[in-house]
Amino acid sequence: MRSIARSACTVALAGALLLTGTLFTGSAAAVGEGPDYQGNETIRTSILSTYDEVVDFLKTQDARQDAMELEVIGQTVKGRDIHLVKYLSDPGNPTILYLAQQHGNEQLTTEAMLHTIKSLGSPSKESLLKDVNVLFIPMFNADGAMGDVNFPSTATSPPGNATSPATTPTRPTSTATTSPRPSPRRGPCTRTC
C-alpha cells in the first residue's frame, strides 16, 4: 500500500513541477509568420536572474525553509559554484533530479525552477515532499548563462558551450563524391550559447 502511495505521490509531484514550467511558457498558435506575441517577441534579459542573484535567492530560501538543504557540488570552469537544492524526506523514497540551464541560453528554465523552489517552501506543499525526494540544480552551466563561453584552448569546454571556431567544423565531413551541403551555421556563435 505504501509503495502505491509513494508512486502516486511521485507522479503527482512530477506532474505539478511540469505544470509549473508550462505555466510560464503559455500557448502559441503558429499562423503564417509564426506565433503572435503582440509585440512581446523579445525577452528582456534585464528581468532574468544573474548567477549572483540566483545564489542569493538560494541562500535566502535555505534560511527560510526547514525541508530544504543547499549544497555546493562542484565548480564551473570559471570557478563559479554549482548549487544543489535538496528536499530529502526519506532515503528509501524515490528521488527526482531536475537540471536547469544546462545550456547557457535556457534562462527561463532557471526562472521556473526558482519559482518552484520558493513554492515548495510554503506549508501547503509539505505533503508533496513526504513520499518523494527532489533535487534541483537551478543553474548547471553558470559560465554559459553569464556569457562566459571563451575558454582557453587547453581547457575542455563543458557540454553546451561554444567551442573555438578554429576547432568547430562549419560543414559536415564527407567522403562522398558529391559536393557537401552548406551548413546552416554561418561562422561562430555571436550570442550567448
Side-chain angles (χ1 to χ4, degrees):
M1 182 69 176
R2 181 160 164 82
S3 66
I4 292 172
R6 205 179 268 173
S7 297
C9 184
T10 301
V11 170
L13 181 59
L17 292 172
L18 287 173
L19 179 61
T20 302
T22 58
L23 291 176
F24 291 105
T25 60
S27 62
V31 177
E33 298 286 320
D36 180 13
Y37 295 102
Q38 290 126 24
N40 295 313
E41 289 83 11
T42 304
I43 296 172
R44 292 186 332 228
T45 57
S46 62
I47 64 172
L48 300 174
S49 302
T50 65
Y51 170 78
D52 291 332
E53 291 168 341
V54 169
V55 171
D56 290 344
F57 173 85
L58 294 175
K59 289 179 180 178
T60 300
Q61 291 303 311
D62 187 36
R64 290 182 180 168
Q65 297 185 36
D66 291 335
M68 179 181 154
E69 183 181 337
L70 184 62
E71 181 181 335
V72 174
I73 58 169
Q75 289 189 323
T76 65
V77 172
K78 295 283 188 168
R80 293 179 175 101
D81 289 337
I82 300 172
H83 292 87
L84 173 68
V85 175
K86 300 190 292 189
Y87 292 95
L88 304 173
S89 56
D90 179 356
N93 285 345
T95 301
I96 302 170
L97 170 64
Y98 289 98
L99 291 170
Q101 212 157 358
Q102 178 177 355
H103 303 104
N105 63 348
E106 299 168 346
Q107 296 95 338
L108 295 180
T109 59
T110 294
E111 299 301 325
M113 189 174 286
L114 296 178
H115 177 76
T116 302
I117 289 168
K118 184 176 182 180
S119 70
L120 286 174
S122 74
S124 64
K125 303 292 191 284
E126 285 179 13
S127 63
L128 288 174
L129 299 170
K130 187 175 75 169
D131 293 321
V132 67
N133 300 317
V134 186
L135 308 174
F136 295 101
I137 301 178
M139 193 178 278
F140 189 68
N141 181 0
D143 294 339
M146 296 295 93
D148 293 339
V149 294
N150 297 318
F151 297 100
S153 60
T154 57
T156 302
S157 185
N161 279 330
T163 56
S164 168
T167 61
T168 304
T170 56
R171 57 181 67 191
T173 305
S174 173
T175 57
T177 57
T178 59
S179 62
R181 292 182 304 200
S183 170
R185 183 169 170 218
R186 306 265 190 252
C189 181
T190 57
R191 60 179 173 77
T192 304
C193 295

